[in-house]
Amino acid sequence: MSLEALNVGDRIRFTFPDDKENPTIFWFNVLDERAYYSLSSKFAGFADSNGKRKESLTGEDVKKLLDASYDVVRFGLANWENFSHNGIPIRFLTDTIADAFGDGRPRLAVSADTMQKIRVRGRQFFISELASAILSAQEIKESELKNSDSQSSST
């Protein structure tokens, strides 16, 4: 079996499984290694040896997790379709952040104003759900590797 690389610059299409009727489509960036490791390392120390989130977290731990989730969404979300408030589409705007990950390269990020609008009724931790989906999408699953002879890994 050969290694299958993710193509930085590709976009990954994602919908939440429970969003069935006229779903919102989120487009994720394939992150470069520096951004991926910088963002995913912010979650270190919050899981047990099996990779499950620790049962008891302090208030400071929860704040750190939410801040880490915010950063993942800010740099990992590329766009959306069909995301609105009271029937009015929410515009997706970005900012350029200079040297976001200490490598001297500017990165596009969801604007702070746009981030303030990413709230969903009935989903208190929506940003965390979105961050988890973004990080999961960065990993090539074994099932995708098995199918890579007949399909491209980018979507």
Side-chain angles (χ1 to χ4, degrees):
M1 168 175 32
S2 63
L3 298 175
E4 182 74 20
L6 291 170
N7 189 15
V8 174
D10 278 356
R11 300 289 186 260
I12 300 166
R13 184 182 190 274
F14 176 82
T15 58
F16 282 97
D18 60 343
D19 187 10
K20 296 186 187 306
E21 187 177 320
N22 198 18
T24 298
I25 298 167
F26 294 96
W27 291 94
F28 302 156
N29 292 310
V30 173
L31 300 168
D32 64 68
E33 288 299 296
R34 181 71 176 225
Y36 174 74
Y37 287 118
S38 179
L39 292 167
S40 61
S41 70
K42 293 181 178 201
F43 293 93
F46 297 110
D48 63 21
S49 59
N50 296 322
K52 303 255 185 212
R53 190 168 56 185
K54 290 181 179 177
E55 292 290 324
S56 60
L57 298 173
T58 67
E60 185 62 26
D61 288 340
V62 172
K63 182 186 179 321
K64 287 179 184 176
L65 281 170
L66 293 174
D67 286 347
S69 295
Y70 182 92
D71 288 344
V72 168
V73 171
R74 188 132 196 247
F75 289 97
L77 189 59
N79 207 342
W80 57 53
E81 297 171 24
N82 198 32
F83 193 50
S84 62
H85 177 72
N86 292 330
I88 300 169
I90 299 171
R91 288 186 60 206
F92 187 89
L93 302 173
T94 59
D95 291 329
T96 300
I97 309 296
D99 199 20
F101 300 108
D103 61 357
R105 293 178 50 208
R107 301 293 204 300
L108 279 180
V110 179
S111 74
D113 183 55
T114 301
M115 286 296 295
Q116 294 299 317
K117 297 173 183 171
I118 304 177
R119 299 280 317 272
V120 175
R121 283 190 183 98
R123 291 179 107 136
Q124 181 180 6
F125 296 107
F126 184 71
I127 293 286
S128 295
E129 289 180 63
L130 204 50
S132 179
I134 289 167
L135 289 176
S136 293
Q138 304 297 313
E139 301 171 13
I140 297 176
K141 313 287 187 290
E142 188 157 334
S143 61
E144 292 172 338
L145 287 175
K146 290 177 184 174
N147 294 327
S148 64
D149 291 338
S150 60
Q151 300 175 355
S152 170
S153 66
S154 61
T155 56

